[in-house]
Each structure stands twice: as C-alpha cells, then as structure tokens.
Amino acid sequence: MSHQEALKSPPRQDLEQSTRPESYRAKRLPGIAYDSVPASLKDSVIEPGDPTYSRVRSTFFRGGAPGIVFQTRHTGQVVEAVKFARSHTHLPLAIRSGGHGIRGRSTNDGGIVIDLSRTAKIEVLDPSTQLVRIEPGARWMDVAATLGPLGWALSSGDSGAVGVGGLATAGGIGLLGRAYGLTIDRLRAVELVLADGSVVRASDKENPDLFWAVRGAGSHFGIATSFELQAAEVRNVGWAQMVFDAGNIAGFLEKWGGIVESSPRDLTSFLILSPPRLGQPAIAFVMTVINSDNSKTIEDRLEPIVSMAPMFDQRVEITSYASIMANAHVGQNSGVGEPVSRSGSVEHITPDFAAAAARLLRSGVTYFFQIRSMGGAIADVPVEATAFGSRSANFEVTAGGTSRERLDESWDSMKGFFCGLYLSFDTDPRPERVRSAFPPSTLERLRALKLRYDPGNLFRDNLFLEPRRPQR
Ligand SMILES: Cc1cc2nc3c(=O)[nH]c(=O)nc-3n(C[C@H](O)[C@H](O)[C@H](O)COP(=O)(O)OP(=O)(O)OC[C@H]3O[C@@H](n4cnc5c(N)ncnc54)[C@H](O)[C@@H]3O)c2cc1C
C-alpha cells in the first residue's frame, strides 16, 4: 500500500488471533490495543512474546522493554504506525534507525517503537551532482562503501555502525567535517512523516521551515523516511592513528587544540583521552584525517601533531574513507542499563578549560573523554541557516560516566566554558538542557514550529521541546 492509500482511512482489520498464540498474548502489556493494529502493519509487528523480540528490545547503549515494535518496510507502514502511536499518546514513543543513539532513547519501557532499520536503500539520483538518496536504516559504513568506488564520500561520524536516521537529523560531526561541514550541511531534501500522519518533502523550496528544523532538531518534528544528500568528491585520504603519553593532560590538550585550530581545513582530528590509572600516565588516542592523497601534504599536516608529546605508537596510511568507516561490526543491539554521557561545545581549548578537563579526568568521574574537532566548513554556515546550535565551536567535548550525579556535579561546574551542546552525545534528562542545545532565537523558532507541526508533542523521545508561540 502506498502512503497516499494508507492515509485514506484504510479498512481496519484486527491482527488475526490465530497468528498470535496464547503464549504470545500472555506477554502483552496493558494499555496497548494490540488487536487494533491494522492488517497493513501486521508483517511489521514484534511483540514481547515473539522469538525475535530480544533482537529489537534494546539499543546499542541502553536496555529496554517496549510493548510493541513496528519494524516498518515502507513509508505507508510508517504512516500507519504513527496513526497507531497517536491513539496511544499515554505511552512513550521511540523512533529508531540504527539503534546507535548514545542517548539510548530509541527504545523505552512499555511503549511503542517505530524501527526503520529495514529501510536501508542507498541509490544514486544524479551522478552529475553527486546527489544520493539514502534511507534511514542504512549504516554510514555502507554509505561509505557504496560511494567510495564512485570517488565520493559523505562525512558522517567516527563509527561506521551508526545509523543514517539519527545522525542526519541531529548534525553529524565527522572525520571530514572541517573540509565538508556537518552531514546535515550536505542534506538537500528529506521525506518526513509528520505527527498528523501526512507525508511531506522538505527542502529549500518545499516546506523550508521544516527543512531548517530537520537540520539539527529533526527528531522533534517527524520521522525521516529518506534523505537526499549531496556527496563530495573525495579521493584517498591520509589516515593517522597515534597514541601519546598525555601525562601532562592540560598541556597536551592545549597543544592539540592549538594545532588543530591553526591547521588548514583539510585536517580533522578526534582525540580520546583515557584517565590516568595505577600510576600510569593518561593516554591519548588521536585520530586524524587529512583530505589529501599527497604524501607531502599529509606529512606537513602531521608534523606538528607528531611532536606534541612522547608517542607510544602510530600508524599512518593513505587509504579510502570507506576503509576508515569499515571500523565497526553491526550485530544485535544488546545494551543494558542507562547510558550516562554529557556534551559541551567549546570555541577554543583555553588553558583554563584544559586545566578543568584535566581535573575531571583525574577525578575518576569519567571513564571516557573525547574531543572532536569542528570549525572549517562547519563554521562557514551561518548559525541561523539551520537548527544546529554550535556553529561557532571549534571542538565538541563528550564525557561518559557511571554515576549521573557525580558527572553532573563536575559537568555543571564547567558550564562556563561551553557555548552549546550536541544533542546526540548528551543523555541529561533535565528539561532545561534544551536551552544549552540551541541558541535562544533557534529555540524560539523551534518551539513555534513544534506548535505548528506537532502540537501534541508526539515526537518527544529526544530532549523536551515545548510547543509554544514566540514570546513577544
Ligand atoms: C560508537 C558511536 C560513535 C559515534 N560517533 C559520532 C560522531 O563521530 N559524530 C556524530 O555526529 N555522532 C556520533 N555518534 C552519535 C550518533 O550520531 C547519534 O547517537 C545518532 O543518533 C545515532 O543514530 P542511529 O540512527 O544509529 O540512532 P537511533 O538510536 O536509531 O536513534 C537515535 C535518535 O535519533 C532520532 N531518530 C532516529 N531515526 C530517526 C528518523 N528516521 N527520523 C527522525 N528521528 C530519528 C530519535 O530521536 C532517536 O531516539 C556516535 C554514536 C556511537 C554509538
């Protein structure tokens, strides 16, 4: 059934009881009208009693136990699933593409999940403009593997297993970011299923307000069922992986930050710092991509990085972007518990910020600390052009912890350093965090659009975005 047909009040037919034995029905949760699932959605339903339920209940980072999962196969089914969700607004609703959300909100307990992982097609629409159409369930490693042989690439993130849907609606801070911008900066159009069940296309010309909102806050406005993105022409790149002694944590961070900021935009560098343990120094793992296949250029760009601190190990190669992205394995998502992670965007790694980061690492509050470089082409886009909040930041900082209270205490004490946060890396449930994610004028516009497109707040698995008229 096409989505147009699905929208015309389709004849409803109960899930046949014969297809759901009593043992399945016994595991059904109260508050879900399982028997009113329309026949057109039948082949997408996974209930707690289904043998495949264990494969879809959790995400990569978070355990969950939803009451019903719709693993949709086309836009018409997404429309039907949205209608079903609208008749169950007392329950949480989660939208899932790759299930790799660090926030872990693409599952829930006792609610509804609309899972788009089965829609994962990647196709070229126009070879002359490198325009590609990608469905939300595709993984970025598959996108890179498809585009690579054409001499193209789309900067996504540092893990190939991440899904297209979650990343392309939030931002996409990737290893080619300083050269080509955020992933959303290459977005040219998107198909969305809205809260009222309508299917719309958004681009600069069609529903431009929605297109603006999707690029940074997409998950609050609808379910993206396909993306049109313009790939960049990318040849082989320089790929350096280096491990340093970062015993002087603050000094190391400051040096790395200064080098990255003063490097040409063909260089993008990500850093992971492990806290000092058992008398050993802190260890820094630095991943750097140079968007060039010229060995002299690569050498020149890496020269200041190599001499930053004593090095334990290094590997430098000229390789394809696709081979860098083939760095993960997509298996069954079996996360447990609640992830705890905080994000902050900083403009510069100042001595004060570096010292505060060093204190955080030494405190033992964080077991995972990563900084991704931004700037370059990301900063070329004016902040008001998209809903992404942190255009002026040169760095995105993420810290993972085990205790929410302890991490909050440290992170809150550092808030003076931050000019924003990246929604995808922050699990803080406090509603006021939305004010850190978006600048005031962006937030006001988002709230007004929320009132227009989703006044009932159906799409709320991410940060709370209150539907509200602009304050005059
Ligand atoms: C190991 C790892 C490394 C990462 N590295 C980076 C990085 O370098 N750069 C970066 O930018 N990000 C990075 N991320 C974060 C990642 O981009 C986000 O967590 C993203 O949301 C994951 O997308 P997904 O589709 O796999 O997630 P899901 O868990 O499926 O979805 C996450 C959320 O996105 C929204 N969403 C999902 N699909 C749709 C859709 N079709 N329409 C509307 N909303 C939707 C929902 O709110 C959902 O709760 C990383 C994540 C992991 C796990």
Side-chain angles (χ1 to χ4, degrees):
M1 188 193 307
S2 72
H3 56 259
Q4 284 90 348
E5 284 167 322
L7 276 169
K8 283 189 236 149
S9 306
R12 295 211 161 230
Q13 200 181 319
D14 289 350
L15 268 178
E16 291 155 40
Q17 301 211 2
S18 58
T19 62
R20 299 284 165 191
E22 193 44 47
S23 58
Y24 284 35
R25 298 175 67 84
K27 293 195 174 164
R28 288 178 165 182
L29 303 186
I32 300 182
Y34 293 93
D35 288 333
S36 73
V37 171
S40 56
L41 268 181
K42 206 161 74 172
D43 62 354
S44 78
V45 172
I46 302 175
E47 297 184 22
D50 275 295
T52 50
Y53 179 74
S54 63
R55 291 191 212 152
V56 298
R57 60 182 293 171
S58 298
T59 67
F60 186 66
F61 272 116
R62 183 161 172 258
I68 190 163
V69 177
F70 295 108
Q71 210 165 54
T72 54
R73 287 169 169 78
H74 53 79
T75 303
Q77 284 193 329
V78 179
V79 170
E80 284 296 339
V82 164
K83 285 184 176 177
F84 185 85
R86 279 180 57 192
S87 63
H88 290 75
T89 48
H90 56 290
L91 296 177
L93 169 66
I95 313 305
R96 182 185 304 165
S97 289
H100 271 58
I102 289 175
R103 292 175 64 77
R105 301 291 136 187
S106 60
T107 191
N108 54 43
D109 286 321
I112 298 167
V113 174
I114 302 179
D115 175 342
L116 295 106
S117 59
R118 282 175 177 259
T119 41
K121 210 196 248 169
I122 304 163
E123 58 185 334
V124 175
L125 290 181
D126 183 355
S128 67
T129 56
Q130 294 116 245
L131 193 67
V132 292
R133 179 183 172 277
I134 307 178
E135 291 181 341
R139 309 295 175 135
W140 288 105
M141 63 165 79
D142 299 325
V143 174
T146 307
L147 303 186
L150 302 169
W152 305 346
L154 278 164
S155 182
S156 48
D158 59 13
S159 165
V162 163
V164 166
L167 183 136
T169 47
I173 302 171
L175 286 163
L176 290 168
R178 294 182 79 242
Y180 297 113
L182 300 170
T183 310
I184 53 167
D185 298 337
R186 311 294 298 188
L187 192 61
R188 300 293 174 256
V190 59
E191 181 188 78
L192 282 172
V193 177
L194 301 181
D196 65 2
S198 58
V199 181
V200 297
R201 196 179 141 84
S203 68
D204 271 339
K205 295 197 175 65
E206 304 138 288
N207 301 297
D209 275 355
L210 263 179
F211 188 52
W212 172 85
V214 163
R215 289 172 295 162
S219 64
H220 300 88
F221 289 90
I223 303 181
T225 45
S226 75
F227 299 87
E228 288 175 26
L229 292 135
Q230 189 169 16
E233 280 185 32
V234 177
R235 295 142 76 107
N236 277 348
V237 296
W239 171 228
Q241 300 175 81
M242 296 171 178
V243 183
F244 293 95
D245 173 341
N248 175 358
I249 299 175
F252 184 86
L253 282 175
E254 239 194 287
K255 255 192 214 159
W256 175 79
I259 292 167
V260 170
E261 267 198 64
S262 58
S263 293
R265 58 176 60 191
D266 57 12
L267 178 144
T268 302
S269 189
F270 288 7
L271 165 156
I272 297 172
L273 254 170
S274 303
R277 277 196 197 99
L278 304 169
Q280 300 294 314
I283 307 286
F285 176 49
V286 177
M287 294 162 275
T288 307
V289 167
I290 293 110
N291 183 31
S292 169
D293 58 0
N294 180 300
S295 52
K296 174 80 174 68
T297 306
I298 295 167
E299 231 174 84
D300 287 350
R301 299 290 186 269
L302 290 177
E303 209 251 23
I305 294 186
V306 170
S307 43
M308 271 190 313
M311 195 190 284
F312 291 132
D313 199 6
Q314 65 158 314
R315 185 186 161 116
V316 181
E317 56 193 312
I318 298 179
T319 186
S320 66
Y321 178 72
S323 77
I324 299 172
M325 293 309 289
N327 58 6
H329 166 72
V330 177
Q332 179 177 323
N333 286 328
S334 46
V336 286
E338 277 291 335
V340 177
S341 150
R342 295 291 174 268
S343 156
S345 318
V346 297
E347 289 186 344
H348 311 286
I349 301 195
T350 59
D352 286 349
F353 172 73
R359 280 194 298 280
L360 176 75
L361 273 149
R362 290 213 171 85
S363 71
V365 164
T366 181
Y367 66 89
F368 180 84
F369 183 86
Q370 181 163 15
I371 308 188
R372 291 170 169 87
S373 63
M374 297 173 64
I378 297 174
D380 289 347
V381 178
V383 68
E384 62 280 0
T386 68
F388 184 84
S390 306
R391 290 285 177 185
S392 65
N394 279 303
F395 302 96
E396 175 58 42
V397 186
T398 310
T402 46
S403 156
R404 194 192 136 190
E405 290 69 28
R406 290 185 67 209
L407 189 57
D408 276 347
E409 204 183 317
S410 303
W411 206 249
D412 290 353
S413 75
M414 291 169 69
K415 71 176 177 218
F417 295 112
F418 300 132
C419 59
L421 68 77
Y422 182 40
L423 197 57
S424 290
F425 293 148
D426 200 292
T427 62
D428 193 341
R430 288 176 288 179
E432 64 270 23
R433 290 289 275 168
V434 76
R435 289 200 295 271
S436 305
F438 305 106
S441 58
T442 302
L443 187 55
E444 180 157 294
R445 188 170 170 195
L446 284 172
R447 283 175 169 151
L449 289 171
K450 185 79 174 167
L451 188 66
R452 185 151 112 222
Y453 289 107
D454 184 16
N457 210 5
L458 185 71
F459 301 117
R460 59 183 184 282
D461 70 351
N462 240 309
L463 273 184
F464 177 65
L465 183 65
E466 185 195 1
R468 186 163 99 187
R469 282 200 174 74
Q471 316 275 292
R472 293 272 170 243

